[in-house]
Amino acid sequence: MVTIVVGKGDKQKSFNLYKDVLTFHSTYFRNALKHEWVEGQSKIITLTEDDPDVFQIFSYWLFSKRLYHPDPAIQASDLNDIPLTFRRICEIYVLGDMRGIPELCNATLDLFFAKMMAQWVFPCDQLNHVYDNTPDKSPLRQLCLDDYVKWGSVESINADTSSYPKDFLVDLIIAAKKEK
């Protein structure tokens, strides 16, 4: 077992997880828990900048391969009842990306897309968070870009260009030129 201490102050929470499960899924934890590192010897890793609520979802996913516990009263096909917000899904993606957990990232991309299709909305309000917290060519950026190219409107951008990240607008121009 290893202890992951997440957050700081009153929000700090500790998680006891199986080392083998953690290191199987995450390159970050695989490297951090090598015996030559202090963390590998103490089996304690402190992640002060991570959100304990997001990490809780990750720890649930580690053992269930689900990002949330489904309500048994909801039909499996009723995706309108995904209890996670777009923001939370993005935060989970960022955790997965930062901690080298590609399977978690893939699960969040699937959920993000399912939520967009179920609610028939594009979460423009999340673009700044996505672009501030992911690298160029990130699959989450690409999903947002592809969806906007297909379904977005110039009118909505024209109405308030300041609310869109500059890098998103550049990516959008490049993608639109490729579409021609």
PDB file of all heavy atoms in Angstrom, residues 94-129:
ATOM      1  N   VAL A  94      -7.278  16.469 -16.916  1.00  0.00           N
ATOM      2  CA  VAL A  94      -6.019  17.147 -16.612  1.00  0.00           C
ATOM      3  C   VAL A  94      -5.209  16.324 -15.601  1.00  0.00           C
ATOM      4  O   VAL A  94      -3.993  16.163 -15.765  1.00  0.00           O
ATOM      5  CB  VAL A  94      -6.270  18.587 -16.115  1.00  0.00           C
ATOM      6  CG1 VAL A  94      -5.001  19.207 -15.542  1.00  0.00           C
ATOM      7  CG2 VAL A  94      -6.824  19.448 -17.250  1.00  0.00           C
ATOM      8  N   LEU A  95      -5.860  15.781 -14.581  1.00  0.00           N
ATOM      9  CA  LEU A  95      -5.162  14.912 -13.625  1.00  0.00           C
ATOM     10  C   LEU A  95      -4.550  13.727 -14.361  1.00  0.00           C
ATOM     11  O   LEU A  95      -3.373  13.403 -14.157  1.00  0.00           O
ATOM     12  CB  LEU A  95      -6.118  14.414 -12.535  1.00  0.00           C
ATOM     13  CG  LEU A  95      -5.505  13.372 -11.600  1.00  0.00           C
ATOM     14  CD1 LEU A  95      -4.713  14.042 -10.486  1.00  0.00           C
ATOM     15  CD2 LEU A  95      -6.556  12.463 -11.023  1.00  0.00           C
ATOM     16  N   GLY A  96      -5.325  13.080 -15.213  1.00  0.00           N
ATOM     17  CA  GLY A  96      -4.826  11.932 -15.964  1.00  0.00           C
ATOM     18  C   GLY A  96      -3.656  12.292 -16.859  1.00  0.00           C
ATOM     19  O   GLY A  96      -2.680  11.542 -16.972  1.00  0.00           O
ATOM     20  N   ASP A  97      -3.736  13.459 -17.479  1.00  0.00           N
ATOM     21  CA  ASP A  97      -2.670  13.912 -18.369  1.00  0.00           C
ATOM     22  C   ASP A  97      -1.403  14.233 -17.574  1.00  0.00           C
ATOM     23  O   ASP A  97      -0.307  13.815 -17.943  1.00  0.00           O
ATOM     24  CB  ASP A  97      -3.159  15.129 -19.156  1.00  0.00           C
ATOM     25  CG  ASP A  97      -2.236  15.503 -20.288  1.00  0.00           C
ATOM     26  OD1 ASP A  97      -1.840  14.607 -21.061  1.00  0.00           O
ATOM     27  OD2 ASP A  97      -1.917  16.706 -20.406  1.00  0.00           O
ATOM     28  N   MET A  98      -1.561  14.936 -16.464  1.00  0.00           N
ATOM     29  CA  MET A  98      -0.406  15.320 -15.637  1.00  0.00           C
ATOM     30  C   MET A  98       0.255  14.119 -14.972  1.00  0.00           C
ATOM     31  O   MET A  98       1.463  14.121 -14.756  1.00  0.00           O
ATOM     32  CB  MET A  98      -0.837  16.312 -14.557  1.00  0.00           C
ATOM     33  CG  MET A  98      -1.125  17.696 -15.063  1.00  0.00           C
ATOM     34  SD  MET A  98      -1.738  18.800 -13.767  1.00  0.00           S
ATOM     35  CE  MET A  98      -0.628  18.506 -12.422  1.00  0.00           C
ATOM     36  N   ARG A  99      -0.533  13.118 -14.645  1.00  0.00           N
ATOM     37  CA  ARG A  99      -0.009  11.981 -13.898  1.00  0.00           C
ATOM     38  C   ARG A  99       0.230  10.756 -14.781  1.00  0.00           C
ATOM     39  O   ARG A  99       0.449   9.657 -14.275  1.00  0.00           O
ATOM     40  CB  ARG A  99      -0.950  11.620 -12.739  1.00  0.00           C
ATOM     41  CG  ARG A  99      -1.212  12.759 -11.778  1.00  0.00           C
ATOM     42  CD  ARG A  99       0.043  13.226 -11.089  1.00  0.00           C
ATOM     43  NE  ARG A  99      -0.205  14.397 -10.250  1.00  0.00           N
ATOM     44  CZ  ARG A  99       0.699  15.278  -9.924  1.00  0.00           C
ATOM     45  NH1 ARG A  99       1.940  15.140 -10.345  1.00  0.00           N
ATOM     46  NH2 ARG A  99       0.399  16.321  -9.179  1.00  0.00           N
ATOM     47  N   GLY A 100       0.202  10.953 -16.092  1.00  0.00           N
ATOM     48  CA  GLY A 100       0.544   9.866 -17.015  1.00  0.00           C
ATOM     49  C   GLY A 100      -0.401   8.682 -16.929  1.00  0.00           C
ATOM     50  O   GLY A 100       0.050   7.545 -16.791  1.00  0.00           O
ATOM     51  N   ILE A 101      -1.705   8.966 -17.020  1.00  0.00           N
ATOM     52  CA  ILE A 101      -2.717   7.914 -16.907  1.00  0.00           C
ATOM     53  C   ILE A 101      -3.577   7.944 -18.182  1.00  0.00           C
ATOM     54  O   ILE A 101      -4.692   8.487 -18.188  1.00  0.00           O
ATOM     55  CB  ILE A 101      -3.594   8.111 -15.645  1.00  0.00           C
ATOM     56  CG1 ILE A 101      -2.717   8.405 -14.423  1.00  0.00           C
ATOM     57  CG2 ILE A 101      -4.483   6.886 -15.414  1.00  0.00           C
ATOM     58  CD1 ILE A 101      -3.461   8.970 -13.245  1.00  0.00           C
ATOM     59  N   PRO A 102      -3.072   7.403 -19.293  1.00  0.00           N
ATOM     60  CA  PRO A 102      -3.786   7.511 -20.564  1.00  0.00           C
ATOM     61  C   PRO A 102      -5.171   6.861 -20.570  1.00  0.00           C
ATOM     62  O   PRO A 102      -6.090   7.376 -21.212  1.00  0.00           O
ATOM     63  CB  PRO A 102      -2.854   6.841 -21.571  1.00  0.00           C
ATOM     64  CG  PRO A 102      -1.868   6.069 -20.781  1.00  0.00           C
ATOM     65  CD  PRO A 102      -1.792   6.694 -19.430  1.00  0.00           C
ATOM     66  N   GLU A 103      -5.336   5.765 -19.842  1.00  0.00           N
ATOM     67  CA  GLU A 103      -6.660   5.120 -19.794  1.00  0.00           C
ATOM     68  C   GLU A 103      -7.699   6.023 -19.140  1.00  0.00           C
ATOM     69  O   GLU A 103      -8.852   6.059 -19.553  1.00  0.00           O
ATOM     70  CB  GLU A 103      -6.584   3.818 -18.984  1.00  0.00           C
ATOM     71  CG  GLU A 103      -6.506   2.563 -19.801  1.00  0.00           C
ATOM     72  CD  GLU A 103      -6.626   1.355 -18.885  1.00  0.00           C
ATOM     73  OE1 GLU A 103      -5.629   1.027 -18.220  1.00  0.00           O
ATOM     74  OE2 GLU A 103      -7.721   0.757 -18.851  1.00  0.00           O
ATOM     75  N   LEU A 104      -7.293   6.754 -18.108  1.00  0.00           N
ATOM     76  CA  LEU A 104      -8.186   7.700 -17.451  1.00  0.00           C
ATOM     77  C   LEU A 104      -8.540   8.831 -18.413  1.00  0.00           C
ATOM     78  O   LEU A 104      -9.701   9.244 -18.501  1.00  0.00           O
ATOM     79  CB  LEU A 104      -7.543   8.258 -16.179  1.00  0.00           C
ATOM     80  CG  LEU A 104      -8.371   9.272 -15.397  1.00  0.00           C
ATOM     81  CD1 LEU A 104      -9.643   8.639 -14.836  1.00  0.00           C
ATOM     82  CD2 LEU A 104      -7.532   9.883 -14.265  1.00  0.00           C
ATOM     83  N   CYS A 105      -7.557   9.321 -19.140  1.00  0.00           N
ATOM     84  CA  CYS A 105      -7.814  10.368 -20.138  1.00  0.00           C
ATOM     85  C   CYS A 105      -8.822   9.881 -21.176  1.00  0.00           C
ATOM     86  O   CYS A 105      -9.753  10.610 -21.531  1.00  0.00           O
ATOM     87  CB  CYS A 105      -6.513  10.800 -20.808  1.00  0.00           C
ATOM     88  SG  CYS A 105      -5.386  11.687 -19.726  1.00  0.00           S
ATOM     89  N   ASN A 106      -8.637   8.661 -21.658  1.00  0.00           N
ATOM     90  CA  ASN A 106      -9.569   8.113 -22.648  1.00  0.00           C
ATOM     91  C   ASN A 106     -10.984   8.004 -22.091  1.00  0.00           C
ATOM     92  O   ASN A 106     -11.962   8.316 -22.781  1.00  0.00           O
ATOM     93  CB  ASN A 106      -9.088   6.752 -23.150  1.00  0.00           C
ATOM     94  CG  ASN A 106      -7.866   6.865 -24.022  1.00  0.00           C
ATOM     95  OD1 ASN A 106      -7.556   7.924 -24.560  1.00  0.00           O
ATOM     96  ND2 ASN A 106      -7.138   5.776 -24.156  1.00  0.00           N
ATOM     97  N   ALA A 107     -11.092   7.591 -20.842  1.00  0.00           N
ATOM     98  CA  ALA A 107     -12.420   7.481 -20.217  1.00  0.00           C
ATOM     99  C   ALA A 107     -13.083   8.847 -20.109  1.00  0.00           C
ATOM    100  O   ALA A 107     -14.295   8.980 -20.337  1.00  0.00           O
ATOM    101  CB  ALA A 107     -12.305   6.831 -18.840  1.00  0.00           C
ATOM    102  N   THR A 108     -12.295   9.877 -19.791  1.00  0.00           N
ATOM    103  CA  THR A 108     -12.883  11.217 -19.686  1.00  0.00           C
ATOM    104  C   THR A 108     -13.272  11.753 -21.055  1.00  0.00           C
ATOM    105  O   THR A 108     -14.300  12.425 -21.179  1.00  0.00           O
ATOM    106  CB  THR A 108     -11.940  12.212 -18.979  1.00  0.00           C
ATOM    107  OG1 THR A 108     -10.725  12.318 -19.706  1.00  0.00           O
ATOM    108  CG2 THR A 108     -11.665  11.796 -17.550  1.00  0.00           C
ATOM    109  N   LEU A 109     -12.472  11.464 -22.070  1.00  0.00           N
ATOM    110  CA  LEU A 109     -12.841  11.898 -23.426  1.00  0.00           C
ATOM    111  C   LEU A 109     -14.160  11.267 -23.854  1.00  0.00           C
ATOM    112  O   LEU A 109     -15.034  11.941 -24.413  1.00  0.00           O
ATOM    113  CB  LEU A 109     -11.745  11.541 -24.430  1.00  0.00           C
ATOM    114  CG  LEU A 109     -10.447  12.323 -24.322  1.00  0.00           C
ATOM    115  CD1 LEU A 109      -9.382  11.711 -25.227  1.00  0.00           C
ATOM    116  CD2 LEU A 109     -10.648  13.792 -24.629  1.00  0.00           C
ATOM    117  N   ASP A 110     -14.318   9.973 -23.583  1.00  0.00           N
ATOM    118  CA  ASP A 110     -15.576   9.290 -23.911  1.00  0.00           C
ATOM    119  C   ASP A 110     -16.743   9.929 -23.176  1.00  0.00           C
ATOM    120  O   ASP A 110     -17.812  10.164 -23.760  1.00  0.00           O
ATOM    121  CB  ASP A 110     -15.499   7.805 -23.549  1.00  0.00           C
ATOM    122  CG  ASP A 110     -14.555   7.019 -24.440  1.00  0.00           C
ATOM    123  OD1 ASP A 110     -14.188   7.519 -25.528  1.00  0.00           O
ATOM    124  OD2 ASP A 110     -14.169   5.901 -24.047  1.00  0.00           O
ATOM    125  N   LEU A 111     -16.551  10.220 -21.887  1.00  0.00           N
ATOM    126  CA  LEU A 111     -17.637  10.805 -21.096  1.00  0.00           C
ATOM    127  C   LEU A 111     -17.942  12.237 -21.537  1.00  0.00           C
ATOM    128  O   LEU A 111     -19.110  12.628 -21.622  1.00  0.00           O
ATOM    129  CB  LEU A 111     -17.279  10.768 -19.607  1.00  0.00           C
ATOM    130  CG  LEU A 111     -18.412  11.110 -18.656  1.00  0.00           C
ATOM    131  CD1 LEU A 111     -19.567  10.114 -18.791  1.00  0.00           C
ATOM    132  CD2 LEU A 111     -17.904  11.151 -17.219  1.00  0.00           C
ATOM    133  N   PHE A 112     -16.909  13.002 -21.825  1.00  0.00           N
ATOM    134  CA  PHE A 112     -17.084  14.384 -22.297  1.00  0.00           C
ATOM    135  C   PHE A 112     -17.913  14.393 -23.577  1.00  0.00           C
ATOM    136  O   PHE A 112     -18.882  15.149 -23.710  1.00  0.00           O
ATOM    137  CB  PHE A 112     -15.699  15.000 -22.535  1.00  0.00           C
ATOM    138  CG  PHE A 112     -15.690  16.473 -22.791  1.00  0.00           C
ATOM    139  CD1 PHE A 112     -15.689  17.368 -21.741  1.00  0.00           C
ATOM    140  CD2 PHE A 112     -15.644  16.969 -24.090  1.00  0.00           C
ATOM    141  CE1 PHE A 112     -15.648  18.741 -21.976  1.00  0.00           C
ATOM    142  CE2 PHE A 112     -15.612  18.328 -24.335  1.00  0.00           C
ATOM    143  CZ  PHE A 112     -15.611  19.226 -23.275  1.00  0.00           C
ATOM    144  N   PHE A 113     -17.539  13.518 -24.512  1.00  0.00           N
ATOM    145  CA  PHE A 113     -18.261  13.439 -25.786  1.00  0.00           C
ATOM    146  C   PHE A 113     -19.698  12.965 -25.565  1.00  0.00           C
ATOM    147  O   PHE A 113     -20.643  13.526 -26.135  1.00  0.00           O
ATOM    148  CB  PHE A 113     -17.533  12.500 -26.750  1.00  0.00           C
ATOM    149  CG  PHE A 113     -18.178  12.422 -28.095  1.00  0.00           C
ATOM    150  CD1 PHE A 113     -18.048  13.465 -29.002  1.00  0.00           C
ATOM    151  CD2 PHE A 113     -18.926  11.322 -28.464  1.00  0.00           C
ATOM    152  CE1 PHE A 113     -18.654  13.404 -30.252  1.00  0.00           C
ATOM    153  CE2 PHE A 113     -19.540  11.242 -29.701  1.00  0.00           C
ATOM    154  CZ  PHE A 113     -19.403  12.293 -30.600  1.00  0.00           C
ATOM    155  N   ALA A 114     -19.879  11.944 -24.728  1.00  0.00           N
ATOM    156  CA  ALA A 114     -21.228  11.434 -24.452  1.00  0.00           C
ATOM    157  C   ALA A 114     -22.105  12.516 -23.842  1.00  0.00           C
ATOM    158  O   ALA A 114     -23.283  12.655 -24.205  1.00  0.00           O
ATOM    159  CB  ALA A 114     -21.147  10.224 -23.518  1.00  0.00           C
ATOM    160  N   LYS A 115     -21.551  13.302 -22.946  1.00  0.00           N
ATOM    161  CA  LYS A 115     -22.322  14.373 -22.308  1.00  0.00           C
ATOM    162  C   LYS A 115     -22.677  15.466 -23.331  1.00  0.00           C
ATOM    163  O   LYS A 115     -23.798  15.970 -23.339  1.00  0.00           O
ATOM    164  CB  LYS A 115     -21.543  14.959 -21.128  1.00  0.00           C
ATOM    165  CG  LYS A 115     -22.373  15.920 -20.278  1.00  0.00           C
ATOM    166  CD  LYS A 115     -21.641  16.249 -18.996  1.00  0.00           C
ATOM    167  CE  LYS A 115     -22.424  17.198 -18.132  1.00  0.00           C
ATOM    168  NZ  LYS A 115     -23.391  16.541 -17.258  1.00  0.00           N
ATOM    169  N   MET A 116     -21.732  15.791 -24.205  1.00  0.00           N
ATOM    170  CA  MET A 116     -22.031  16.779 -25.254  1.00  0.00           C
ATOM    171  C   MET A 116     -23.162  16.297 -26.147  1.00  0.00           C
ATOM    172  O   MET A 116     -24.079  17.050 -26.468  1.00  0.00           O
ATOM    173  CB  MET A 116     -20.791  17.057 -26.120  1.00  0.00           C
ATOM    174  CG  MET A 116     -19.805  17.991 -25.513  1.00  0.00           C
ATOM    175  SD  MET A 116     -18.551  18.628 -26.680  1.00  0.00           S
ATOM    176  CE  MET A 116     -17.936  17.180 -27.485  1.00  0.00           C
ATOM    177  N   MET A 117     -23.106  15.036 -26.548  1.00  0.00           N
ATOM    178  CA  MET A 117     -24.131  14.499 -27.445  1.00  0.00           C
ATOM    179  C   MET A 117     -25.477  14.339 -26.738  1.00  0.00           C
ATOM    180  O   MET A 117     -26.525  14.626 -27.317  1.00  0.00           O
ATOM    181  CB  MET A 117     -23.683  13.153 -28.028  1.00  0.00           C
ATOM    182  CG  MET A 117     -22.480  13.237 -28.960  1.00  0.00           C
ATOM    183  SD  MET A 117     -22.753  14.272 -30.418  1.00  0.00           S
ATOM    184  CE  MET A 117     -21.931  15.798 -29.974  1.00  0.00           C
ATOM    185  N   ALA A 118     -25.454  13.914 -25.497  1.00  0.00           N
ATOM    186  CA  ALA A 118     -26.700  13.711 -24.753  1.00  0.00           C
ATOM    187  C   ALA A 118     -27.414  15.035 -24.491  1.00  0.00           C
ATOM    188  O   ALA A 118     -28.636  15.119 -24.574  1.00  0.00           O
ATOM    189  CB  ALA A 118     -26.421  12.992 -23.438  1.00  0.00           C
ATOM    190  N   GLN A 119     -26.628  16.078 -24.194  1.00  0.00           N
ATOM    191  CA  GLN A 119     -27.228  17.374 -23.869  1.00  0.00           C
ATOM    192  C   GLN A 119     -27.256  18.313 -25.066  1.00  0.00           C
ATOM    193  O   GLN A 119     -27.810  19.400 -24.983  1.00  0.00           O
ATOM    194  CB  GLN A 119     -26.477  18.012 -22.704  1.00  0.00           C
ATOM    195  CG  GLN A 119     -26.611  17.207 -21.444  1.00  0.00           C
ATOM    196  CD  GLN A 119     -25.899  17.825 -20.270  1.00  0.00           C
ATOM    197  OE1 GLN A 119     -25.211  18.849 -20.373  1.00  0.00           O
ATOM    198  NE2 GLN A 119     -26.034  17.211 -19.116  1.00  0.00           N
ATOM    199  N   TRP A 120     -26.640  17.882 -26.139  1.00  0.00           N
ATOM    200  CA  TRP A 120     -26.555  18.644 -27.370  1.00  0.00           C
ATOM    201  C   TRP A 120     -26.066  20.078 -27.112  1.00  0.00           C
ATOM    202  O   TRP A 120     -26.649  21.062 -27.534  1.00  0.00           O
ATOM    203  CB  TRP A 120     -27.899  18.643 -28.103  1.00  0.00           C
ATOM    204  CG  TRP A 120     -27.735  18.900 -29.559  1.00  0.00           C
ATOM    205  CD1 TRP A 120     -28.172  19.995 -30.233  1.00  0.00           C
ATOM    206  CD2 TRP A 120     -27.083  18.076 -30.536  1.00  0.00           C
ATOM    207  NE1 TRP A 120     -27.818  19.913 -31.557  1.00  0.00           N
ATOM    208  CE2 TRP A 120     -27.147  18.731 -31.777  1.00  0.00           C
ATOM    209  CE3 TRP A 120     -26.432  16.852 -30.466  1.00  0.00           C
ATOM    210  CZ2 TRP A 120     -26.610  18.199 -32.933  1.00  0.00           C
ATOM    211  CZ3 TRP A 120     -25.889  16.333 -31.625  1.00  0.00           C
ATOM    212  CH2 TRP A 120     -25.999  17.013 -32.839  1.00  0.00           C
ATOM    213  N   VAL A 121     -24.950  20.148 -26.365  1.00  0.00           N
ATOM    214  CA  VAL A 121     -24.338  21.441 -26.068  1.00  0.00           C
ATOM    215  C   VAL A 121     -22.834  21.336 -26.287  1.00  0.00           C
ATOM    216  O   VAL A 121     -22.249  20.257 -26.175  1.00  0.00           O
ATOM    217  CB  VAL A 121     -24.587  21.905 -24.612  1.00  0.00           C
ATOM    218  CG1 VAL A 121     -26.051  22.156 -24.367  1.00  0.00           C
ATOM    219  CG2 VAL A 121     -24.014  20.955 -23.602  1.00  0.00           C
ATOM    220  N   PHE A 122     -22.247  22.461 -26.596  1.00  0.00           N
ATOM    221  CA  PHE A 122     -20.797  22.557 -26.641  1.00  0.00           C
ATOM    222  C   PHE A 122     -20.379  23.424 -25.459  1.00  0.00           C
ATOM    223  O   PHE A 122     -20.804  24.572 -25.346  1.00  0.00           O
ATOM    224  CB  PHE A 122     -20.307  23.183 -27.951  1.00  0.00           C
ATOM    225  CG  PHE A 122     -18.815  23.294 -28.000  1.00  0.00           C
ATOM    226  CD1 PHE A 122     -18.045  22.188 -28.304  1.00  0.00           C
ATOM    227  CD2 PHE A 122     -18.178  24.486 -27.698  1.00  0.00           C
ATOM    228  CE1 PHE A 122     -16.668  22.265 -28.330  1.00  0.00           C
ATOM    229  CE2 PHE A 122     -16.795  24.575 -27.722  1.00  0.00           C
ATOM    230  CZ  PHE A 122     -16.043  23.460 -28.036  1.00  0.00           C
ATOM    231  N   PRO A 123     -19.558  22.902 -24.559  1.00  0.00           N
ATOM    232  CA  PRO A 123     -19.205  23.643 -23.343  1.00  0.00           C
ATOM    233  C   PRO A 123     -18.132  24.707 -23.574  1.00  0.00           C
ATOM    234  O   PRO A 123     -16.988  24.579 -23.126  1.00  0.00           O
ATOM    235  CB  PRO A 123     -18.722  22.544 -22.404  1.00  0.00           C
ATOM    236  CG  PRO A 123     -18.168  21.501 -23.318  1.00  0.00           C
ATOM    237  CD  PRO A 123     -19.013  21.552 -24.558  1.00  0.00           C
ATOM    238  N   CYS A 124     -18.509  25.769 -24.269  1.00  0.00           N
ATOM    239  CA  CYS A 124     -17.569  26.858 -24.568  1.00  0.00           C
ATOM    240  C   CYS A 124     -16.926  27.415 -23.304  1.00  0.00           C
ATOM    241  O   CYS A 124     -15.770  27.829 -23.331  1.00  0.00           O
ATOM    242  CB  CYS A 124     -18.279  27.999 -25.289  1.00  0.00           C
ATOM    243  SG  CYS A 124     -18.832  27.592 -26.942  1.00  0.00           S
ATOM    244  N   ASP A 125     -17.687  27.402 -22.216  1.00  0.00           N
ATOM    245  CA  ASP A 125     -17.179  27.957 -20.969  1.00  0.00           C
ATOM    246  C   ASP A 125     -16.009  27.158 -20.391  1.00  0.00           C
ATOM    247  O   ASP A 125     -15.351  27.612 -19.459  1.00  0.00           O
ATOM    248  CB  ASP A 125     -18.302  28.079 -19.942  1.00  0.00           C
ATOM    249  CG  ASP A 125     -18.984  26.752 -19.648  1.00  0.00           C
ATOM    250  OD1 ASP A 125     -19.006  25.863 -20.528  1.00  0.00           O
ATOM    251  OD2 ASP A 125     -19.510  26.617 -18.530  1.00  0.00           O
ATOM    252  N   GLN A 126     -15.718  26.004 -20.947  1.00  0.00           N
ATOM    253  CA  GLN A 126     -14.601  25.183 -20.462  1.00  0.00           C
ATOM    254  C   GLN A 126     -13.335  25.331 -21.309  1.00  0.00           C
ATOM    255  O   GLN A 126     -12.294  24.798 -20.956  1.00  0.00           O
ATOM    256  CB  GLN A 126     -15.010  23.708 -20.402  1.00  0.00           C
ATOM    257  CG  GLN A 126     -16.107  23.432 -19.413  1.00  0.00           C
ATOM    258  CD  GLN A 126     -15.814  24.014 -18.044  1.00  0.00           C
ATOM    259  OE1 GLN A 126     -14.736  23.824 -17.482  1.00  0.00           O
ATOM    260  NE2 GLN A 126     -16.766  24.756 -17.501  1.00  0.00           N
ATOM    261  N   LEU A 127     -13.444  26.051 -22.413  1.00  0.00           N
ATOM    262  CA  LEU A 127     -12.284  26.153 -23.312  1.00  0.00           C
ATOM    263  C   LEU A 127     -11.076  26.797 -22.642  1.00  0.00           C
ATOM    264  O   LEU A 127      -9.940  26.356 -22.853  1.00  0.00           O
ATOM    265  CB  LEU A 127     -12.660  26.914 -24.583  1.00  0.00           C
ATOM    266  CG  LEU A 127     -13.522  26.137 -25.562  1.00  0.00           C
ATOM    267  CD1 LEU A 127     -13.985  27.047 -26.703  1.00  0.00           C
ATOM    268  CD2 LEU A 127     -12.777  24.929 -26.106  1.00  0.00           C
ATOM    269  N   ASN A 128     -11.292  27.839 -21.855  1.00  0.00           N
ATOM    270  CA  ASN A 128     -10.153  28.466 -21.173  1.00  0.00           C
ATOM    271  C   ASN A 128      -9.478  27.477 -20.230  1.00  0.00           C
ATOM    272  O   ASN A 128      -8.251  27.395 -20.195  1.00  0.00           O
ATOM    273  CB  ASN A 128     -10.592  29.720 -20.412  1.00  0.00           C
ATOM    274  CG  ASN A 128     -10.769  30.891 -21.346  1.00  0.00           C
ATOM    275  OD1 ASN A 128      -9.876  31.221 -22.110  1.00  0.00           O
ATOM    276  ND2 ASN A 128     -11.925  31.512 -21.303  1.00  0.00           N
ATOM    277  N   HIS A 129     -10.255  26.724 -19.477  1.00  0.00           N
ATOM    278  CA  HIS A 129      -9.680  25.729 -18.567  1.00  0.00           C
ATOM    279  C   HIS A 129      -8.910  24.665 -19.353  1.00  0.00           C
ATOM    280  O   HIS A 129      -7.797  24.290 -18.975  1.00  0.00           O
ATOM    281  CB  HIS A 129     -10.778  25.078 -17.720  1.00  0.00           C
ATOM    282  CG  HIS A 129     -10.256  24.074 -16.758  1.00  0.00           C
ATOM    283  ND1 HIS A 129      -9.583  24.416 -15.605  1.00  0.00           N
ATOM    284  CD2 HIS A 129     -10.267  22.721 -16.788  1.00  0.00           C
ATOM    285  CE1 HIS A 129      -9.214  23.326 -14.965  1.00  0.00           C
ATOM    286  NE2 HIS A 129      -9.615  22.277 -15.662  1.00  0.00           N
TER     287      HIS A 129
END
